[in-house]
Amino acid sequence: MRLELKGITKQFPGVLANDAISIAVDRGEVLGLLGENGAGKSTLMNILSGLYRPDAGEILIDGSSRTFTDPRQAIEAGIGMVHQHFQLVPVFDVVEAVALGAESVSGFLGTFDRKTARQRVVELSERYNLNVNPDAKIEDLPVGVRQRVEILKALYRKSDILVLDEPSAVLTPFETEELFGIIRGLAEAGTTVIFITHKLNEVLEVADRITVLRRGRVAGTVDPKSATREQLANLMVGRDVELKVPKGPAHPGDVVLQLRNLHVRDDRGHMAVQDVNLEIRAGEIVALAGVQGNGQTELVEAIVGLRAVDSGEINLDAHSIKHVSPRHISNEGVAHIPEDRNRDGLIAYMTVAENFILDSYHRPPYSKGIRLDHKAINAAAEQAVKDYDVRTPGIDTYAGSLSGGNQQKVVVAREFSRPLKLVIAAQPTRGLDVGSIEYIHKRIVEQRDQGAAILIVSTELEEVLAVGDRVAVMQGGQLVGIVEGETATYENVGMLMGGVH
Ligand SMILES: Nc1ncnc2c1ncn2[C@@H]1O[C@H](COP(=O)(O)OP(=O)(O)O)[C@@H](O)[C@H]1O
Ligand SMILES: [Mg+2]
């Protein structure tokens, strides 16, 4: 079916999330909807799926105007949504999860015809190459398969229009490739597909047409056959962005960080890091790739002193830091850019200036004896705001009111404001706009060129390939491979991430 959204407008308190957005998708077409975090993509799709009512605008299906006052009406009109956060019930098996809600509630509990439902699930799974075991329990399925169950659920409801909201966020590169195959198959069979993402490579690969949203508006629509990554990035942020991290060859020096037979347990007592051996030298960037939840978080926490080591060694400049406190490790010249900046990196109700001196207020030049030198603090904060291009009304603004990208710049500015031996950066650009990513990457390379050893942990393959002088891959708690930066590719690193050695 042909879908048109015309002049869709949605105001939230303080944010015009959708500002007269018009898009169109034809039957059998894959429209890539590209935009930064907060551009308004999910809002637009929530309007299409009947979760939100627009303040203005029109939804047209095959030319006739439709109004949805609840999601059920959108489903009946043939619109299927695979949400950014899955909504499957873990204790159900696939047939139940797919058929639930398609039947009436009483019908489901009373006369649920499992045999017929199962048969349709099997049929759909085969027809679209979804490869889902109908009798498996949802909780036992890997994320990639759960997502295919969501797609099955939409198909089961006879969706002619399928919307996938950031579907690859939780997938391995291999699973993403499989998903793209499924999407192509659906489109060829006549399904209208809207594929939402903030990843440039993905839209270029899977979409027939790309519409870019920026700050609630359509910034442009382009043909992927002729579009470039640079052009898309420009449309996303409204200015030119350097996508390739400008970086000369590494000149590795002495070993700064050495991990030997390292074992670390997670919060539940499971061995999350198993027998990891790794050396990082001064002047090189090691990028640690892996799908979220493969031990990277625990590894980083152990290195910076936030988590106990089970067995093995962590050496900094050839002495053990295994039982050393986070503050002492930091004082040795180790910077930590934490994975969750809102939990560990930044204090929202403190000002930009206060956040800037969080770790160093007790040291000169910020304190004289027991007194803080506010003049010195303010001068340093003003300088950092300037150097790191932090967009803030001033240094007295509460850090919590800044955008994600600007909060992260405050964290990075603080961590990089002193001489460093080692930088541990966990997901340093997660959730940031392309412009801020460019900025932070440049600063990390700068630290490398000043002689720091760098470990970047990232689930984004693009980032890993852009910055890593060497790429290490973690899977199931183990280091399953190390690839030289020059020979690292989407394919060979992606295979390792997916557990193919
Ligand atoms: N339910 C809501 N209430 C208030 N503000 C919202 C709500 N949903 C989204 N927003 C705001 O609307 C803007 C667009 O958000 P969203 O549509 O989720 O963007 P995207 O999916 O492109 O990342 C953001 O500024 C977001 O904070
Ligand atoms: Mg979204």
Side-chain angles (χ1 to χ4, degrees):
M1 295 195 291
R2 177 176 166 79
L3 171 72
E4 270 177 278
L5 300 179
K6 275 192 180 164
I8 300 284
T9 298
K10 180 74 183 177
Q11 173 88 50
F12 289 120
V15 198
L16 191 52
N18 286 175
D19 184 3
I21 294 181
S22 298
I23 62 169
V25 211
D26 272 318
R27 179 174 189 278
E29 187 184 37
V30 180
L31 178 75
L33 195 59
L34 179 74
E36 309 263 84
N37 269 320
K41 306 178 297 290
S42 293
T43 301
L44 187 68
M45 291 307 116
N46 286 333
I47 287 169
L48 175 64
S49 64
L51 277 169
Y52 296 161
R53 296 291 302 276
D55 300 331
E58 206 181 5
I59 300 172
L60 298 160
I61 295 179
D62 281 341
S64 54
S65 181
R66 306 295 296 260
T67 308
F68 305 135
T69 51
D70 77 72
R72 190 160 289 272
Q73 293 172 349
I75 291 168
E76 277 161 15
I79 293 164
M81 279 284 286
V82 177
H83 287 277
Q84 204 163 350
H85 307 286
F86 299 165
Q87 299 170 331
L88 299 171
V89 185
V91 295
F92 282 176
D93 69 20
V94 169
V95 175
E96 290 161 349
V98 167
L100 171 73
E103 321 283 327
S104 69
V105 173
S106 63
F108 181 74
L109 295 175
T111 60
F112 173 55
D113 181 358
R114 184 183 168 86
K115 211 173 141 204
T116 314
R118 188 179 183 285
Q119 199 178 344
R120 270 201 68 208
V121 167
V122 171
E123 240 172 60
L124 286 169
S125 175
E126 277 172 10
R127 180 162 2 134
Y128 296 105
N129 260 322
L130 290 165
N131 219 346
V132 174
N133 170 5
D135 306 311
K137 271 234 160 49
I138 297 295
E139 59 191 356
D140 297 331
L141 296 175
V143 186
V145 182
R146 281 192 208 192
Q147 187 165 57
R148 299 206 289 263
V149 176
E150 287 276 5
I151 296 173
L152 256 178
K153 195 168 150 185
L155 297 173
Y156 190 90
R157 285 156 183 64
K158 305 198 170 71
S159 303
D160 298 305
I161 299 168
L162 186 66
V163 179
L164 300 129
D165 194 355
E166 305 257 4
S168 68
V170 291
L171 303 185
T172 63
F174 179 68
E175 286 171 326
T176 303
E177 285 304 317
E178 280 189 330
L179 176 66
F180 287 174
I182 292 164
I183 290 176
R184 298 292 347 156
L186 285 164
E188 273 155 34
T191 304
T192 304
V193 182
I194 300 180
F195 177 86
I196 300 177
T197 185
H198 65 272
K199 296 184 186 173
L200 306 172
N201 289 348
E202 294 189 347
V203 267
L204 285 171
E205 190 176 339
V206 77
D208 295 312
R209 218 149 42 84
I210 302 170
T211 293
V212 184
L213 294 189
R214 181 170 79 235
R215 294 182 189 192
R217 294 185 179 186
V218 172
T221 294
V222 297
D223 179 351
K225 285 191 211 75
S226 56
T228 62
R229 285 160 42 87
E230 285 71 20
Q231 180 190 8
L232 291 173
N234 180 305
L235 286 171
M236 276 167 88
V237 295
R239 65 173 176 87
D240 280 337
V241 175
E242 223 172 326
L243 288 170
K244 213 166 150 18
V245 182
K247 144 169 130 52
H251 301 289
D254 295 337
V255 172
V256 174
L257 179 73
Q258 184 185 42
L259 309 177
R260 283 177 56 191
N261 306 111
L262 188 66
H263 290 77
V264 183
R265 290 181 193 273
D266 66 16
D267 291 338
R268 290 171 305 165
H270 295 147
M271 203 62 81
V273 175
Q274 295 168 26
D275 203 27
V276 165
N277 290 285
L278 181 66
E279 287 185 344
I280 305 180
R281 293 173 177 273
E284 74 162 341
I285 300 175
V286 173
L288 185 63
V291 179
Q292 184 83 41
N294 278 281
Q296 306 96 313
T297 305
E298 288 79 7
L299 180 73
V300 164
E301 287 175 353
I303 296 171
V304 300
L306 289 167
R307 182 175 288 273
V309 169
D310 192 78
S311 65
E313 290 302 327
I314 304 177
N315 296 325
L316 178 69
D317 277 353
H319 65 273
S320 174
I321 53 166
K322 196 159 70 162
H323 301 301
V324 178
S325 76
R327 163 153 309 170
H328 281 98
I329 292 175
S330 165
N331 286 347
E332 286 202 46
V334 178
H336 176 212
I337 300 172
E339 184 171 312
D340 185 348
R341 62 180 158 264
N342 295 314
R343 208 190 64 193
D344 310 314
L346 199 88
I347 299 182
Y349 56 81
M350 284 171 66
T351 66
V352 169
E354 286 163 345
N355 269 284
F356 182 68
I357 57 151
L358 271 188
D359 302 322
S360 48
Y361 60 88
H362 55 290
R363 283 196 293 255
Y366 305 131
S367 73
K368 290 183 189 147
I370 57 163
R371 257 185 308 154
L372 290 179
D373 182 344
H374 288 285
K375 233 170 115 186
I377 292 168
N378 290 347
E382 292 283 6
Q383 191 61 43
V385 162
K386 216 168 122 226
D387 288 349
Y388 281 79
D389 190 28
V390 179
R391 308 283 167 85
T392 171
I395 59 168
D396 295 328
T397 302
Y398 286 114
S401 71
L402 303 184
S403 76
N406 286 301
Q407 291 183 356
Q408 186 71 328
K409 287 178 189 169
V410 172
V411 173
V412 173
R414 177 184 73 218
E415 293 297 311
F416 287 3
S417 65
R418 59 202 172 102
L420 295 172
K421 272 183 206 163
L422 176 65
V423 174
I424 308 289
Q427 319 291 353
T429 63
R430 179 152 68 195
L432 302 195
D433 58 86
V434 194
S436 302
I437 292 174
E438 167 197 34
Y439 203 82
I440 284 171
H441 284 165
K442 275 189 184 162
R443 291 316 175 105
I444 289 174
V445 171
E446 214 172 84
Q447 285 294 326
R448 179 200 76 167
D449 291 340
Q450 288 167 16
I454 316 247
L455 178 68
I456 289 190
V457 179
S458 177
T459 52
E460 300 272 335
L461 205 39
E462 246 178 271
E463 173 162 56
V464 163
L465 296 175
V467 298
D469 297 315
R470 288 191 294 146
V471 175
V473 184
M474 234 177 141
Q475 205 262 326
Q478 295 178 319
L479 212 61
V480 293
I482 297 185
V483 187
E484 285 299 321
E486 288 118 60
T487 56
T489 63
Y490 205 83
E491 287 71 30
N492 58 19
V493 177
M495 296 267 261
L496 289 167
M497 281 171 73
V500 183
H501 303 184

